[in-house]
Amino acid sequence: MAEPSGKSEYVVGVDLGGTKILAGVFKNPQECIGTSKVSTKSQRGVEAVVERIARCVQDAVDEADLSLKQVAGVGIGAPGAVDFAAGTVIFAPNLEGWKDVALKKDLEKHLGVPVFVENDCNIAALGVHVAELKGKPKSMVGIFVGTGIGGGLIINGDLYGGFNHTAGEIGHMVLDVNGPKCGCGNKGCFEALASRTAIFQQIKAGIKDGEKTILTEMLGDNLNDLRSGDLRKAIRRGDKFVDKVVEGAAEYIGIGVANLVNILGPEVVVVGGGVLEALADEMMGVIVETAQDYAMPGTMKNVEIIASKLGDNAGITGAAVLARKESK
Ligand SMILES: [Zn+2]
């Protein structure tokens, strides 16, 4: 489709994470023509991180052989609570000192391009919906399993923010009132049971209790460098303990899916994030089976439960989709 004259066809999507910042220049949702990556270094303070985001955007634009003048807008997914209308990050637990940061205003000063800020999981859901599913499902739930568990809801073809624009906090759905403590202060939240952090804690606790695992052979006793990919390797080498822990997490994800399908009745549920990227083959069967077991009869009919293939790129893709939508 031709753009109106004078309007740029390029947008930039940024994924602001606790450890790294990714930026991608997009011509359309399927076509990324330049990327850049820098570490976040949030210990250097808010202003330094904003400068690093600006530099990351400039590098990606340069990588695509463009200049900022040719960019219509920049979308950013931030890891925390966001005031979309104001363009501020209200609070980001994984970024040091991030409270009421006027990210939109500050970045626009650096870049001279309109900037739009949204929660990172909402953005990832948008990316999966538009780029991976071609915008087809009318309703979709995105579940992203990484350090924590985040979600994004697409209802009637659009991102659903709810009354206070805070909807989609599915990681804090309580699945076991007597469960382990969550970072939010509650007990037994979805992410305290099935995130990468939860899986790693269960594995470390099991080893302390004398469970035998190949992981200690692979990485030593303290497992400081443990990654999701190591779990896959261990399971493929027949590690029963790791298999049991990962299966337990997959069951909780299935229960989470069942709750969401009961309440929202989505057409598609997409499960993504770093844990699923590494362990989709090991987890998806259990997730689907458990979801079907726990969902109310009839609610699961023709509902698709699939693993996202976008991986790390869901964030920049969705942020670019947001920039395109908002800068029109
Ligand atoms: Zn919680």
Side-chain angles (χ1 to χ4, degrees), residues 172 182 184 189:
H172 300 283
C182 179
C184 74
C189 289

Side-chain angles (χ1 to χ4, degrees), residues 254 257-258 261 288 291-293 295-305:
V257 170
V261 169
V288 172
Q292 279 162 347
D293 275 356
M296 290 287 285
T299 55
M300 209 52 104
K301 194 180 160 205
N302 297 332
V303 175
E304 268 187 275
I305 304 170

Side-chain angles (χ1 to χ4, degrees), residues 272-286:
V275 170
L276 261 292
E277 208 181 347
L279 291 156
D281 289 345
E282 285 72 19
M283 295 178 99
M284 280 313 286
V286 178

